[in-house]
Amino acid sequence: MKSLDMKNVYMDHASATPVREEVIEAMLPYFDRHFGNPSTVYDMGSKVKQVIEEHRAKVAKLISAKSQEIIFTSSGAEANNLAVKGVALSLQKKGRHIIISAIEHHSVLNSARFLERMDFEVTFLPVDEYGLVDSGRLSRAIRSDTILVSIMHANNEIGTIQPISELSAICREKGVLFHTDAVASVGNIPVDVNALNVDLLSLSGVSIGAPKGIGALYFRNNLRLMPLIHGGIQESGRRGGTENVPYIVGLGKASVLAVEELFDKMNHLEKLRSLIISGVRERIEHVKLTGHPDKRLPGHASFCIEAIEGEALIYMLNQHGIYSNTGSACASKALKTSPVLVAIGTPPDLAQGSIVFTMDSSNKIEEIEYVMEKLCLVVEKLRSLSPLWRSKEGI
Amino acid sequence: MKFVDKQPSDDTLDLVCRMCPLHLLEPGDRLKCLKRGQVLEVLTDYDGALEDIPEWCQKFGQEFMGMEEDEDCYKLYIKKVK
């Protein structure tokens, strides 16, 4: 294998996926030819409104929802904000207590913190060493004034998939709404809002080959949501602002492709994941796989490598054309120990050596071999410079 | 303003948390699904609806029966006349 010729091995699909060619093609006419405002009554507008509704149905089908249960948003983060703040503000007369897990995305975590400043109470549920929420602990945390529980479907940093239907059943029985952030899972594993038994679910285009800047919130029919963006009749009066028609079309098209390709993609990614996990375990000593060994996203492999700085690892892999991450795209730039790794009990020094590979259908087996070769080299090089490693090895 | 008390209805349209002017767009669509003589209950937290919906009824030939205040919203009742 001419591994040194390999350029640009992208393995950070949890941060962003490339926009699919079919998606770009579907979007293009809506930038110029069909540019009418969907709220207008003449043909140029009403036909575009019809296109929005057709693509809303496609997004709904991706998660087995009804069209009228989908609100388009600007991102998964906005969908999470709308779910948490929208429900809390609409139900505040009923209660002011919400529950989230300790490993939620910042858009859920910071929405909850914002609500704390508005005199809501928030319980942050701990997770076990794999990042799983305990159903008994959730049940005990629910109070008479609890109005919402938000627990992510799959974690973007450690890949762990939560037993959402088990957790949501507890909430349903106690009359508490349940939201799940499915940004990391939609398009990677089957996501069915009825099987999951959730009231709200967030998804994002960036995870499934649609552009950045488009997402959606599923909300069970007739659920009250206080709007975050006040405006007019768009999104049935639930989110103001002229609709981003090209991006909605892009999300719809990407949803169709995601449904068609899901099972082939899962099979392919499970093979790649298995190769990278077994490769790291066999060829690099003193490494911990983070997240659950089995209940994890098919294209997700995450590790903490002892006596290594994750950022240094990322930069050196970057020099070999390999793009991976130390954790979430937001947290890694802040050079802060990942709250997710802290929550699963990773010692701070080990957490520094975090690396996350998230793969997609475009990744090939040869790329895994190339990544393994370069990863071993880089780890060896960094450890040779590490006083921590030298003292550990007695050098 | 006409007030009613425990008015029975045949269908409910929940517009709580939904922005103006949805309260002027959705009742018409929902009334299409009802038979003449049937009553639509409209739930809203928008104060402007208290003026707008009676006016809308007058304009479109439907009967505004009255309203009552609930804990977190207004309930307005429209009888389908035509």
Side-chain angles (χ1 to χ4, degrees), chain A residues 90 93 224-225 227 229-231 233 236-240, chain B residues 14 16-22 25-26 43 71-73:
Chain A
S90 68
K93 284 184 183 168
R224 291 177 183 174
L225 275 179
I229 301 174
H230 289 88
I233 61 173
S236 299
R238 293 185 173 94
R239 180 188 188 268
Chain B
D14 186 349
V16 175
C17 295
R18 294 172 69 186
M19 289 177 283
C20 170
L22 263 292
L25 300 176
E26 297 228 341
L43 309 182
E71 202 175 297
D72 57 355
C73 65

Side-chain angles (χ1 to χ4, degrees), chain A residues 100-160:
Chain A
I100 70 169
S101 87
I103 59 167
E104 294 302 309
H105 185 262
H106 277 101
S107 51
V108 169
L109 189 67
N110 285 335
S111 292
R113 285 182 180 145
F114 169 79
L115 290 170
E116 276 188 312
R117 294 201 299 274
M118 295 181 69
D119 293 330
F120 282 83
E121 276 186 78
V122 181
T123 297
F124 298 88
L125 272 187
V127 292
D128 69 11
E129 62 182 307
Y130 301 119
L132 290 169
V133 170
D134 177 64
S135 55
R137 204 186 273 267
L138 170 63
S139 184
R140 288 189 296 278
I142 294 175
R143 316 187 315 208
S144 59
D145 61 341
T146 307
I147 50 173
L148 177 71
V149 171
S150 181
I151 294 170
M152 69 198 318
H153 191 192
N155 186 276
N156 50 321
E157 288 185 54
I158 57 173
T160 298

Side-chain angles (χ1 to χ4, degrees), chain A residues 71-86 105 107-108 111 179 183 202-204 213-217 227-229 235 238-240:
Chain A
I71 300 177
F72 288 116
T73 62
S74 65
S75 59
E78 186 194 326
N80 281 337
N81 270 261
L82 181 56
V84 175
K85 292 190 270 194
H105 185 262
S107 51
V108 169
S111 292
H179 165 249
V183 168
S202 305
L203 63 92
S204 171
I214 186 73
L217 177 67
L228 302 185
I229 301 174
E235 298 304 288
R238 293 185 173 94
R239 180 188 188 268

Side-chain angles (χ1 to χ4, degrees), chain A residues 195-259:
Chain A
L196 293 175
N197 202 12
V198 295
D199 299 293
L200 303 111
L201 178 145
S202 305
L203 63 92
S204 171
V206 73
S207 314
I208 60 167
K212 301 163 193 70
I214 186 73
L217 177 67
Y218 157 79
F219 68 108
R220 196 172 288 283
N221 212 0
N222 290 328
L223 198 148
R224 291 177 183 174
L225 275 179
M226 188 67 77
L228 302 185
I229 301 174
H230 289 88
I233 61 173
Q234 298 87 7
E235 298 304 288
S236 299
R238 293 185 173 94
R239 180 188 188 268
T242 303
E243 297 90 336
N244 188 350
V245 181
Y247 282 50
I248 287 170
V249 169
L251 184 62
K253 179 66 182 176
S255 298
V256 172
L257 296 171
V259 170

Side-chain angles (χ1 to χ4, degrees), chain A residues 33-106:
Chain A
R33 223 172 335 139
H34 306 299
F35 66 89
N37 186 321
S39 295
T40 54
V41 293
Y42 46 75
D43 281 358
M44 273 182 75
S46 59
K47 283 181 180 167
V48 170
K49 175 69 179 161
Q50 182 58 36
V51 167
I52 291 177
E53 295 316 314
E54 286 165 17
H55 287 80
R56 195 188 304 279
K58 292 172 183 173
V59 175
K61 192 177 174 193
L62 173 65
I63 54 171
S64 305
K66 298 177 202 144
S67 285
Q68 65 268 29
E69 296 174 319
I70 300 294
I71 300 177
F72 288 116
T73 62
S74 65
S75 59
E78 186 194 326
N80 281 337
N81 270 261
L82 181 56
V84 175
K85 292 190 270 194
V87 165
L89 295 174
S90 68
L91 293 184
Q92 57 185 313
K93 284 184 183 168
K94 188 181 169 202
R96 298 180 75 87
H97 178 234
I98 68 172
I99 299 170
I100 70 169
S101 87
I103 59 167
E104 294 302 309
H105 185 262
H106 277 101

